[in-house]
Amino acid sequence: MSSPLHEWSLAPREARMLQSQLAKRLELTDRLAPITHIAGVDIGFEEGGEITRAAVVVLKWDPATAPDLSVVEQVVHREPTRMPYIPGLLSFREIPAALGAFEKLSVMPELVMVDGQGIAHPRRLGVAAHLGLWLDLPTIGIAKSRLYGQHAEVGEQRGDWEPLYAGQETIGAVLRSRTKVKPVYVSPGHRITLETSLTWVLRCLGRTKLPEPTRLADRLASRRDQRR
């Protein structure tokens, strides 16, 4: 894992300023190693938000069997939540636990899919983008709802998509990942373009609206019998 980016004990105003600074360091061009493993990340909370829970599932990528990807490793990490819920600053609340989960992995992926936003964020630093900078890995945000931006109506067929705009800037895509089911919001995080992000999300789609890496991470995070 790369060197620490910053301290976590920041006031909201300081955190917002830091987001704007860190967003300038994002690489929105493709810098990917050959993909052999893909991770899915899902982050939630327990005990009324006092505990942050991060689930990471690592899948083996094999084009011959996709999207039926085999699970290589999965971990759940819990730790005390460091920041209260503040809209726009969720990455400061969620990423410490995610980093703890990645530290437990024995297999490091070449691509990370995160249940959350990439650059589709008011200051262009959603959780997927922020996590990508910490890990120095290509990351994609796949969110179930829109946080920021505007878009045209999306076609109803699987694979239909429309750009997500902030003014004249394209910050993501609204993808119909399953026919006649609510779309997902895809945005690049770090070291990847929007076009390549969409390609990988589509490659990893199974029978549900979520790509397999984040679907399995969500399922792992929801299991009640997980150990620390």
Side-chain angles (χ1 to χ4, degrees):
M1 194 174 295
S2 58
S3 301
L5 284 178
H6 57 79
E7 298 294 329
W8 291 107
S9 55
L10 299 173
R13 181 174 179 274
E14 295 172 319
R16 293 187 186 97
M17 291 176 61
L18 180 60
Q19 283 180 323
S20 297
Q21 295 168 6
L22 291 177
K24 298 175 183 177
R25 297 173 57 177
L26 294 172
E27 298 177 36
L28 299 178
T29 55
D30 290 329
R31 184 163 69 89
L32 293 83
I35 306 298
T36 60
H37 294 90
I38 303 174
V41 181
D42 184 87
I43 302 163
F45 299 90
E46 302 173 354
E47 299 181 18
E50 294 298 317
I51 299 295
T52 307
R53 177 192 65 247
V56 178
V57 178
V58 179
L59 306 176
K60 183 172 180 56
W61 169 254
D62 183 349
T65 60
D68 295 323
L69 310 178
S70 58
V71 176
V72 174
E73 189 173 10
Q74 54 186 26
V75 299
V76 173
H77 176 76
R78 296 174 173 87
E79 64 175 63
T81 302
R82 305 195 190 195
M83 180 179 278
Y85 171 75
I86 302 173
L89 296 180
L90 293 186
S91 64
F92 289 88
R93 181 172 164 86
E94 298 180 348
I95 285 180
L99 294 175
F102 272 89
E103 288 174 357
K104 295 179 178 180
L105 292 177
S106 58
V107 177
M108 193 58 62
E110 294 84 23
L111 177 63
V112 180
M113 295 185 177
V114 183
D115 184 349
Q117 309 289 347
I119 65 166
H121 178 277
R123 289 171 292 282
R124 309 300 185 267
L125 199 81
V127 61
H130 201 164
L131 182 62
L133 285 174
W134 270 94
L135 298 174
D136 192 26
L137 286 173
T139 51
I140 304 170
I142 303 105
K144 302 180 190 74
S145 60
R146 179 178 63 89
L147 172 67
Y148 191 69
Q150 304 82 37
H151 61 89
E153 188 67 26
V154 184
E156 294 189 345
Q157 299 304 308
R158 174 181 167 132
D160 289 345
W161 67 277
E162 290 289 339
L164 180 67
Y165 293 108
Q168 299 300 312
E169 180 186 1
T170 302
I171 58 173
V174 189
L175 172 67
R176 189 79 66 184
S177 55
R178 189 177 181 189
T179 299
K180 297 184 179 180
V181 171
K182 288 183 179 180
V184 294
Y185 293 78
V186 177
S187 57
H190 182 46
R191 289 177 49 179
I192 196 166
T193 62
L194 174 59
E195 292 76 14
T196 303
S197 298
L198 281 168
T199 296
W200 277 104
V201 170
L202 288 166
R203 283 173 178 169
C204 292
L205 285 177
R207 296 182 179 180
T208 70
K209 67 180 285 184
L210 297 177
E212 286 297 283
T214 56
R215 183 187 73 82
L216 292 174
D218 178 78
R219 188 174 73 174
L220 174 65
S222 301
R223 284 169 53 182
R224 297 180 179 274
D225 61 346
Q226 287 303 322
R227 299 176 181 177
R228 291 180 183 269

